[in-house]
Amino acid sequence: MKTTKVTIHTLQTMKQHGERIAMLTAYDATFARLLDEAGADILLVGDSLGMVIQGHETTLPVTLDEMIYHCRAVARGARRAQIVGDMPFGSYQASIDQGLAAAARMIKEGGAHAVKLEGGAQHAELVRRLVAMGIPVMGHIGLTPQSFHQMGGFKVQGREPGGRQRLLDDALALADAGAYAIVLEGIPSEIAREITAAVGVPTIGIGAGAGCDGQVLVCYDLLGMDDTFKPKFVRRYEQLSVRIRTAVQSYVDDVRSGAFPSAQESFALDPAGAAAAPDAKVYSTVAGKP
Ligand code: KIV
């Protein structure tokens, strides 16, 4: 298992050596620990939490305070992975100063190692200033969910006349401003491949084909937490929605029938003959030890 912490330099070296980067979203400490132990290079505390955690239709309602709260939880769970905090809608679009202050909070209070923001050339100056301040920035172009209303929904981007050039210009502007990586979301594979060859920094694709330097998925999608949601670009590695329902149904049945808890799962007044000592802890991290 790799243990050295992932930094922006690690990611740059991975691109140079043709090693693919595996990024996933994470929103809490338990998932962060599991994804980190499984080898994810980057944990993105995505504003997708507005949809998968909070149950909103879009990412738009998520606040900066909420993002910081989740970043802090993920930072406590991860050891090796780089932690990227997503700048939520309305936290950086109003002015450069607003963006600088919000990003500083993500790092200082949230414990993120870098921030991600949506948009291309229009945010180049903000990216430049953040990098000058010492904050690594990941760009995000193509399908940018914070522009949901402007795009008229979650649609593939870049197919329109001039779309390919616009995306290429945006990627080059971000890289030139100092972004250390760029997420390419919901764009044709051919354009993603061209951008990946044109920019010196790693590209991380989601619905952008195999030609990127890395891939990112929302961890709940990869794990199949919602059986009603399966976009074309998602590969489900698990069907946790089914497994969780089955497990919980068994628990409910056992509670109703009285099969849970058993004597082994209960405390006796006099533990003689049992493994428990009088001062046994109620919570133990070792299975089977009371
Ligand atoms: O918010 C998010 O999870 C994201 C990824 C899907 C790239 O921005």
Side-chain angles (χ1 to χ4, degrees):
M1 194 172 76
K2 292 185 188 173
T3 50
T4 316
K5 276 189 183 292
V6 176
T7 67
I8 59 173
H9 305 290
T10 318
L11 301 169
Q12 184 63 44
T13 307
M14 287 175 82
K15 172 160 180 133
Q16 280 156 7
H17 293 178
E19 271 178 65
R20 297 270 166 88
I21 298 163
M23 170 161 136
L24 278 172
T25 65
Y27 313 109
D28 64 49
T30 300
F31 265 84
R33 182 171 55 77
L34 293 173
L35 305 182
D36 186 276
E37 285 170 359
D41 300 303
I42 306 177
L43 296 182
L44 169 68
V45 186
D47 63 356
S48 49
L49 68 85
M51 299 169 78
V52 298
I53 302 289
Q54 299 177 333
H56 294 297
E57 292 290 313
T58 69
T59 60
L60 298 173
V62 179
T63 68
L64 181 59
D65 285 342
E66 288 165 348
M67 289 306 303
I68 290 169
Y69 170 90
H70 285 279
C71 277
R72 220 184 286 135
V74 168
R76 282 188 211 112
R79 293 282 168 273
R80 171 185 170 268
Q82 183 189 56
I83 296 156
V84 179
D86 222 356
M87 302 274 283
F89 178 68
S91 71
Y92 60 98
Q93 290 92 344
S95 69
I96 302 260
D97 283 347
Q98 184 204 29
L100 297 178
R105 286 193 63 200
M106 298 283 272
I107 305 289
K108 197 169 174 149
E109 298 172 43
H113 305 146
V115 297
K116 175 169 85 58
L117 51 85
E118 296 185 9
Q122 77 272 32
H123 292 309
E125 186 50 26
L126 173 59
V127 173
R128 215 179 295 282
R129 293 281 302 277
L130 285 167
V131 172
M133 201 172 146
I135 299 181
V137 183
M138 178 179 280
H140 181 163
I141 60 173
L143 194 171
T144 46
Q146 291 175 15
S147 306
F148 177 81
H149 296 300
Q150 185 69 32
M151 294 182 302
F154 297 122
K155 295 178 181 165
V156 174
Q157 301 294 303
R159 285 179 171 150
E160 73 284 3
R164 179 192 139 278
Q165 192 58 48
R166 179 178 53 80
L167 287 168
L168 192 56
D169 291 346
D170 277 338
L172 289 169
L174 288 169
D176 185 56
Y180 74 96
I182 305 172
V183 168
L184 305 178
E185 177 165 358
I187 65 174
S189 313
E190 299 87 335
I191 302 181
R193 197 176 286 280
E194 193 179 346
I195 292 173
T196 302
V199 294
V201 298
T203 60
I204 315 282
I206 173 162
C212 303
D213 297 305
Q215 298 291 325
V216 56
L217 281 177
V218 169
C219 67
Y220 279 35
D221 294 345
L222 151 109
L223 294 171
M225 292 284 269
D226 179 356
D227 37 23
T228 66
F229 184 72
K230 168 67 182 76
K232 178 179 163 71
F233 62 86
V234 167
R235 184 179 297 175
R236 278 191 194 143
Y237 288 82
E238 251 301 347
Q239 292 270 30
L240 284 193
S241 56
V242 176
R243 292 170 70 120
I244 290 172
R245 268 197 301 268
T246 305
V248 174
Q249 271 160 15
S250 300
Y251 164 77
V252 170
D253 290 348
D254 284 354
V255 170
R256 296 219 167 110
S257 70
F260 176 82
S262 66
Q264 286 74 35
E265 290 147 344
S266 308
F267 300 99
L269 187 59
D270 173 8
D279 62 347
K281 291 193 175 79
V282 172
Y283 294 106
S284 165
T285 53
V286 183
K289 294 252 173 80

